[in-house]
């Protein structure tokens, strides 16, 4: 069991080059969503129940949300006019593999390529196209928010960061990654 603040600290310790994104998320408690969901303007809605998750899982969840912003999933989805739910799942597959490769503990119920009998190591576009073929069998309705390309119904009620602020945050993360490497 961990507070959001404790899990942010753990996430920043494990991924110091993502700290600007992790700290840059604007947390908004949102009962009933059951998880985390981040908007394209860096507002992170979270169900207060997530603070009952193990600290490492919640830290991974925070990194997951930041990675949707860093990987620009919203813009990429718009460019190809992708189905938001399927695109969100494709992005989740890519991000969750990155987290597993970094030896992170995923949140309970997190999806991986094996969930859909897909091979690992593909791009978001490749997963999207493969998931589209399975769309009628998919019953998962995960929502990571508009940062993933799949807006959450609770979005838009809170003041987020401007497009320029999010871009500055992403550029700082890129510089931090380069410096860390």
């Amino acid at each position: 069991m961990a507070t959001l603040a404790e899990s942010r600290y753990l996430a920043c310790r494990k991924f110091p080059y993502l700290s600007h994104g992790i700290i840059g998320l604007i947390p908004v408690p949102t009962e009933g969503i059951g998880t985390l969901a981040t908007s394209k303007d860096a507002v992170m809605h979270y169900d207060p129940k997530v603070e009952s998750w193990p600290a490492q899982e919640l830290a991974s969840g925070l990194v997951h949300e930041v990675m949707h912003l860093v990987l620009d999933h919203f813009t990429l989805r718009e460019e190809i006019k992708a189905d938001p739910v399927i695109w969100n799942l494709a992005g989740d597959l890519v991000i969750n593999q990155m987290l597993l490769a970094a030896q992170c503990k995923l949140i309970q119920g997190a999806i991986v390529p094996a969930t859909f009998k897909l091979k690992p190591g593909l791009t978001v576009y490749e997963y999207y196209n493969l998931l589209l073929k399975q769309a009628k069998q998919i019953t998962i309705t995960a929502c990571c928010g508009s940062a993933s390309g799949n807006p959450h119904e609770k979005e838009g009620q809170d003041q987020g960061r401007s497009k320029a602020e999010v871009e500055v945050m992403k550029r700082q993360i890129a510089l931090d990654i380069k410096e860390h490497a």
Side-chain angles (χ1 to χ4, degrees):
M1 210 161 126
T3 66
L4 192 60
E6 290 168 328
S7 294
R8 276 180 143 176
Y9 173 76
L10 289 173
C12 288
R13 291 267 314 189
K14 184 157 182 88
F15 299 96
Y17 44 88
L18 295 177
S19 293
H20 283 90
I22 294 163
I23 301 302
L25 294 175
I26 302 167
V28 175
T30 311
E31 289 192 28
I33 65 170
T35 190
L36 307 166
T38 300
S39 69
K40 62 184 177 181
D41 56 356
V43 173
M44 183 188 63
H45 292 271
Y46 71 96
D47 193 313
K49 291 179 184 177
V50 304
E51 293 187 301
S52 68
W53 296 353
Q56 296 295 334
E57 289 181 27
L58 183 51
S60 293
L62 294 169
V63 173
H64 178 104
E65 294 301 312
V66 168
M67 290 305 297
H68 278 300
L69 286 171
V70 169
L71 296 172
D72 212 13
H73 283 162
F74 171 78
T75 304
L76 299 176
R77 186 200 73 78
E78 280 193 339
E79 286 175 359
I80 66 167
K81 310 280 190 261
D83 174 272
V85 173
I86 301 298
W87 182 259
N88 185 168
L89 294 174
D92 286 353
L93 292 177
V94 170
I95 293 168
N96 289 343
Q97 286 179 88
M98 291 176 181
L99 290 169
L100 288 173
Q103 300 179 333
C104 293
K105 186 166 168 85
L106 299 180
I107 63 171
Q108 187 175 354
I111 61 169
V112 294
T115 306
F116 302 101
K117 297 183 174 92
L118 299 174
K119 65 181 180 178
L122 302 180
T123 67
V124 69
Y125 297 108
E126 291 169 317
Y127 282 128
Y128 176 73
N129 288 324
L130 291 169
L131 288 171
L132 266 181
K133 294 175 184 173
Q134 298 183 27
K136 290 185 178 167
Q137 290 85 19
I138 294 175
T139 57
I140 298 171
T141 58
C143 181
C144 284
S146 63
S148 70
N150 187 15
H152 196 278
E153 64 186 34
K154 303 282 186 181
E155 284 185 33
Q157 301 170 8
D158 303 288
Q159 181 67 36
R161 303 206 181 281
S162 70
K163 191 173 183 177
E165 288 173 313
V166 172
E167 189 58 35
V168 166
M169 182 172 65
K170 288 174 14 185
R171 287 181 187 200
Q172 184 60 55
I173 290 169
L175 289 171
D176 292 345
I177 289 170
K178 186 176 178 181
E179 185 179 305
H180 186 79

